Amino acid sequence: MSMQPKGSGEIPAETVRVARAAFPKGSLAIRLRDELGPLFTDEEFADLFPARGRPAWSPAGLALVSVLQFVEGLTDRQAAEAVRARIDVKYALGLELDDPGFDFSVLSEFRDRLAKADGGQRVLDGVLAAAREKGLLKRAGRARTDSTHVLSAARELSWLEMVAETLRSALNALAQAAPDWLAGIAEPDWFRRYATRAEDSRFPTSRAKRDEVGTRIGRDGTCLLAAVLAPGAPEGLRGLAEVETLRKVWVQHFHQVEGEVRRRDPKDRPPGALRLVTPYDTEARGSVKRDTMWDGYKVHLTETCEPDTPNLITNVATTVATVADRSMAETIHTHLAARDCAPGEHWVDAGYPTGAALVSARHEHGIALHGPLQADNSAQAAADSGFGQDAFTVDWDSKQATCPGGKTSTTWSERLSQRGQPVLRVVFSVSDCRPCTMRQACINTPNTKRPRELRLRRHDEHHALQAARAEQKSDEWKERYKIRAGVEGTISQAVGRCGLRRSRYQGLVKTSLQHQLTGAAINLARIDAHLTGEPRARTRTSHFARLRPADQTIDGAKKA
């Protein structure tokens, strides 16, 4: 299938006449075509198609249909039917009224092409470029970011379901690749155990019997792997993706003890970032955030937040579920800067800012990163008594620190924190700390052989953290920080309108494409709301909350 650029073209006169008559007040698709013009051109997607072959439907049209599909929450069949039957969609695409459209499978094929070339970013950028040309997207303004969890397209599995389904998936793949060979080595009981989908309700309820079932599944999988790896097995079987998944899952969950297959102890399994949770989406990972546990991914949405323009999503970053927010600030800033969308101020929650992120944002991109910082975590600061790190004077040139008692440190060395971040370990002398009259306020242990230690960030990070913590104590900063909360409404809109909470597709690449199309769809919906003067929704307040006395805050305290 080859692409033959058709250009944007004019909307056929008959399509215009009928659309105006049928929609005298317009519709989202009509208004966006009138105000923004064609959002995409076929040439932007030329590299996704071969130069020769059967002519393809307009890629620019497919890109627009893909975004409108997410605006309205349509399936592929419904989206293809809208192109064939809806006048306003034909108007937006510039089609003749009798244009038959395309088969719904074309949308899936187009997404595959987009996913292989990060085409979702092109679609999002096309919408942002049109908004900028219309004056709806400003440079160096304010932006805010938050993340939310995304469930894998595959169903959540219990441990027994996961190992049984992994083995069943491998058996099905081998049955296709080498049916005669598999029929010859399969044990008779395998057909009863693994011919149908594993359901937790069909497994025993007692813990002892469930353990027996798990061990039996482990033995069966080990036997199958041994057969596949044996010299007489057909070539190519060990290269099947399902067989490789079986091998990884068995390495992670089983081992042999004195020749017997046993389930690994939880402490003996790999960390969550490496551990597979389902054989049907091998890039999904399990994670926990406070009381929320999920298998899948995480998405970070960054949007503008200016009072006189619509809040537009400027960056979408999708990761596996185990990637921490604190590692994403630099990645987000780099993507924004590369696309000329870097804000002057970036407001985030407490999960994102670190000393390194503050420095990098300011020096590399000219961005002021704002978000609640982790407080001084020394025991003295936590108890709000004694000498925290702020009570010490640091001489960075001579690499020494001076305590409130006037003594200087004796050791200055580089280390890694528990989170893997570089820190400076500063240690004072035991001979100075032991007789010190202020020892009780400085060291929270009766062990007189232990001196005071400090864990400091590097010079620029240390000063950035100190300055930011001082600023965040002011009422003025706290008032400005309220702007960040609005991004949670964006996540709510993406979940409710576009189905952000669960991935439609398997794998990180296609899940990321879904999220980029979601960002483009929300932008179109917000641009339309802005053009029609639709006011932004206010935060909902329950009937009971409205009865709260005016002089009382939400936590019950009296206002000053």
Side-chain angles (χ1 to χ4, degrees):
M1 184 178 292
S2 66
M3 192 209 74
Q4 297 182 0
K6 301 180 179 62
S8 57
E10 296 292 333
I11 305 174
E14 184 65 8
T15 302
V16 174
R17 186 188 68 79
V18 174
R20 298 299 184 200
F23 297 90
K25 295 184 179 180
S27 70
L28 181 145
I30 291 175
R31 286 190 294 267
L32 291 175
R33 176 61 189 253
D34 288 342
E35 295 292 338
L36 302 181
L39 293 175
F40 314 105
T41 64
D42 288 340
E43 289 77 9
E44 293 177 274
F45 304 96
D47 61 312
L48 305 184
F49 295 83
R52 303 173 64 182
R54 181 167 54 89
W57 214 77
S58 165
L62 291 174
L64 180 57
V65 172
S66 297
V67 178
L68 293 177
Q69 177 182 7
F70 277 82
V71 171
E72 300 188 15
L74 305 178
T75 64
D76 286 355
R77 289 179 182 272
Q78 291 170 332
E81 179 68 11
V83 174
R84 186 187 69 82
R86 281 177 48 178
I87 297 171
D88 60 333
V89 176
K90 289 182 181 293
Y91 183 97
L93 293 168
L95 301 178
E96 297 282 357
L97 291 177
D98 59 355
D99 192 301
F102 50 81
D103 185 79
F104 73 93
S105 62
V106 172
L107 286 172
S108 177
E109 295 172 1
F110 182 63
R111 285 195 301 269
D112 288 340
R113 296 179 186 274
L114 288 177
K116 292 176 182 178
D118 195 22
Q121 187 66 65
R122 303 185 200 181
V123 175
L124 177 60
D125 287 346
V127 175
L128 293 176
R132 176 171 284 137
E133 186 175 343
K134 195 70 178 177
L136 302 178
L137 180 62
K138 298 181 179 180
R139 291 179 171 85
R142 293 181 300 177
R144 55 196 177 195
T145 295
D146 202 2
S147 67
T148 190
H149 64 284
V150 177
L151 304 176
S152 168
R155 67 185 175 111
E156 185 177 352
L157 302 174
S158 67
W159 184 81
L160 278 179
E161 288 175 326
M162 193 268 292
V163 293
E165 281 295 291
T166 301
L167 178 52
R168 190 173 77 92
S169 174
L171 287 169
N172 282 325
L174 291 168
Q176 284 184 298
D180 296 336
W181 174 84
L182 182 60
I185 64 100
E187 297 182 7
D189 286 342
W190 288 7
F191 297 97
R192 175 175 55 84
R193 296 170 184 169
Y194 310 115
T196 59
R197 190 171 88 158
E199 298 283 355
D200 196 70
S201 59
R202 298 175 184 172
F203 292 123
T205 56
S206 72
R207 179 62 180 271
K209 291 184 178 180
R210 289 175 70 90
D211 289 344
E212 291 178 8
V213 172
T215 302
R216 185 192 69 204
I217 295 172
R219 287 197 300 266
D220 292 344
T222 301
C223 179
L224 179 62
L225 285 171
V228 169
L229 299 176
E235 293 185 7
L237 295 188
R238 67 181 63 186
L240 294 175
E242 293 82 358
V243 172
E244 176 61 15
T245 299
L246 174 66
R247 186 192 67 80
K248 289 181 178 179
V249 170
W250 255 238
V251 168
Q252 293 177 359
H253 292 274
F254 297 102
H255 64 157
Q256 293 199 10
V257 179
E258 297 179 353
E260 293 291 328
V261 177
R262 295 286 185 268
R263 181 180 178 182
R264 288 187 185 272
D265 186 89
K267 295 181 179 180
D268 193 30
R269 296 175 195 164
L274 300 176
R275 192 164 60 245
L276 303 182
V277 294
T278 173
Y280 303 116
D281 189 350
T282 56
E283 293 181 299
R285 294 293 182 267
S287 190
V288 180
K289 184 175 182 180
R290 291 187 287 273
D291 295 331
T292 302
M293 302 175 63
W294 79 99
D295 294 339
Y297 303 93
K298 186 187 289 186
V299 61
H300 304 257
L301 300 180
T302 301
E303 67 172 1
T304 60
C305 47
E306 299 296 336
D308 55 345
T309 57
N311 297 334
L312 300 181
I313 295 176
T314 53
N315 193 76
V316 179
T318 306
T319 69
V320 295
T322 52
V323 175
D325 290 355
R326 63 178 177 272
S327 66
M328 289 302 297
E330 172 60 21
T331 300
I332 293 171
H333 291 159
T334 300
H335 288 173
L336 288 169
R339 295 161 40 242
D340 198 21
C341 293
E345 295 180 0
H346 189 192
W347 297 86
V348 296
D349 66 15
Y352 291 90
T354 63
L358 292 174
V359 173
S360 174
R362 175 66 71 183
H363 293 172
E364 300 295 331
H365 308 292
I367 298 173
L369 180 63
H370 293 280
L373 291 165
Q374 181 181 2
D376 181 356
N377 57 6
S378 64
Q380 294 77 9
D384 198 22
S385 62
F387 301 127
Q389 289 188 5
D390 293 343
F392 291 74
T393 303
V394 180
D395 186 339
W396 297 94
D397 293 331
S398 61
K399 297 184 178 181
Q400 283 187 324
T402 303
C403 73
K407 303 297 183 180
T408 57
S409 59
T410 57
T411 301
W412 179 291
S413 58
E414 295 184 359
R415 293 286 190 276
L416 291 178
S417 68
Q418 293 180 345
R419 295 181 174 180
Q421 297 177 340
V423 296
L424 298 173
R425 179 173 179 259
V426 181
V427 184
F428 289 80
S429 171
V430 174
S431 60
D432 289 333
C433 292
R434 182 186 297 142
C436 181
T437 58
M438 295 182 286
R439 175 184 174 84
Q440 188 172 359
C442 192
I443 303 176
N444 67 329
T445 175
N447 184 358
T448 58
K449 295 182 179 180
R450 182 175 177 180
R452 178 63 189 265
E453 292 188 15
L454 302 177
R455 295 296 173 96
L456 306 176
R457 299 295 179 186
R458 292 179 296 189
H459 188 191
D460 51 355
E461 296 177 16
H462 178 79
H463 283 290
L465 288 169
Q466 283 193 322
R469 287 186 178 123
E471 181 185 20
Q472 291 175 13
K473 293 178 181 179
S474 68
D475 292 337
E476 187 268 339
W477 186 91
K478 293 176 183 178
E479 185 65 27
R480 292 170 60 206
Y481 183 68
K482 292 179 180 179
I483 193 68
R484 188 217 65 87
V487 71
E488 296 177 8
T490 298
I491 291 176
S492 177
Q493 183 182 17
V495 169
R497 183 166 191 162
C498 303
L500 183 74
R501 181 63 68 215
R502 181 176 290 277
S503 176
R504 292 187 177 194
Y505 318 113
Q506 295 177 359
L508 178 62
V509 172
K510 295 199 74 173
T511 299
S512 178
L513 173 62
Q514 173 188 339
H515 296 160
Q516 290 163 337
L517 293 176
T518 295
I522 290 177
N523 285 346
L524 288 188
R526 290 183 169 184
I527 290 172
D528 181 63
H530 177 79
L531 295 174
T532 57
E534 180 181 340
R536 296 175 184 174
R538 299 180 64 85
T539 302
R540 291 189 295 271
T541 305
S542 69
H543 295 291
F544 179 69
R546 293 171 187 166
L547 302 178
R548 185 174 63 244
D551 63 342
Q552 188 181 80
T553 62
I554 197 168
D555 60 0
K558 291 288 185 179
K559 290 184 179 180

